[in-house]
C-alpha cells in the first residue's frame, strides 16, 4: 500500500516537472496563422525577415487564450523577440495580461518564468 502511494506521488512530481520545464519552440511564418492551426508550446513570429511585426502564442497558464505581442518599435507597447539557437527565443520585456487570467511572466530561451 505504501509503495503504491509513493509511486503515485512520484508520478505526479514527474508530470509537474514536465509541465514546468516545457520549452516554447519558435516558428517563423509569413502570415498570421488561423487559430485552429496554432499549436501549444509554439511562439509564431509573423512577418518576413527582418520585418517581423507580431508574435502569437497560447497563454502558458492554460486558459487557452491567444496572446498577440506587437514587435513594431513604432507602436507602443512593443516587445523584442530574440532567437536563441534555431528552436527557441527570449521575449523582452515581460508579458503581463491585464484582462482574463492576469498572468505575468517572462519567456527566457523558450522557458516560462512566472513573476
Amino acid at each position: 500500500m505504501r509503495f503504491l502511494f509513493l509511486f503515485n506521488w512520484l508520478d505526479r512530481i514527474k508530470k509537474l516537472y514536465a509541465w514546468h520545464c516545457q520549452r516554447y519552440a519558435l516558428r517563423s511564418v509569413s502570415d498570421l496563422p488561423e487559430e485552429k492551426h496554432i499549436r501549444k508550446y509554439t511562439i509564431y513570429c509573423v512577418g518576413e525577415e527582418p520585418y517581423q511585426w507580431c508574435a502569437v502564442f497560447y497563454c502558458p497558464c492554460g486558459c487557452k487564450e491567444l496572446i498577440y505581442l506587437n514587435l513594431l518599435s513604432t507602436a507602443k507597447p512593443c516587445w523584442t523577440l530574440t532567437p536563441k539557437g534555431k528552436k527557441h527565443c527570449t521575449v523582452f520585456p515581460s508579458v503581463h495580461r491585464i484582462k482574463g487570467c492576469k498572468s505575468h511572466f517572462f519567456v527566457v530561451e523558450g522557458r516560462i518564468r512566472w513573476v
Side-chain angles (χ1 to χ4, degrees):
M1 190 71 157
R2 237 179 186 186
F3 178 73
L4 185 59
F5 174 76
L6 181 62
F7 181 74
N8 287 338
W9 187 74
L10 289 174
D11 190 45
R12 288 182 183 162
I13 288 175
K14 285 192 323 191
K15 286 179 183 176
L16 182 63
Y17 179 79
W19 174 77
H20 178 71
C21 293
Q22 181 68 42
R23 291 179 82 177
Y24 276 68
L26 176 62
R27 184 165 180 215
S28 293
V29 293
S30 58
D31 292 322
L32 192 63
E34 293 181 30
E35 187 173 346
K36 64 183 178 181
H37 296 297
I38 295 176
R39 293 187 199 160
K40 254 175 116 175
Y41 305 117
T42 303
I43 296 175
Y44 293 87
C45 189
V46 183
E48 298 293 330
E49 291 264 350
Y51 304 107
Q52 293 156 329
W53 57 274
C54 180
V56 181
F57 58 99
Y58 278 110
C59 184
C61 81
C63 69
K64 298 182 182 177
E65 291 291 324
L66 281 176
I67 295 176
Y68 296 87
L69 300 179
N70 171 42
L71 301 178
L72 298 173
S73 60
T74 56
K76 302 294 179 195
C78 71
W79 287 262
T80 58
L81 192 130
T82 308
K84 298 291 181 180
K86 293 183 180 180
K87 295 183 180 181
H88 307 290
C89 67
T90 295
V91 176
F92 183 81
S94 67
V95 179
H96 189 184
R97 297 195 62 210
I98 56 175
K99 294 182 180 178
C101 65
K102 301 192 186 311
S103 293
H104 190 191
F105 57 91
F106 287 91
V107 180
V108 180
E109 295 183 10
R111 287 196 169 91
I112 302 300
R113 302 287 185 231
W114 295 98
V115 176

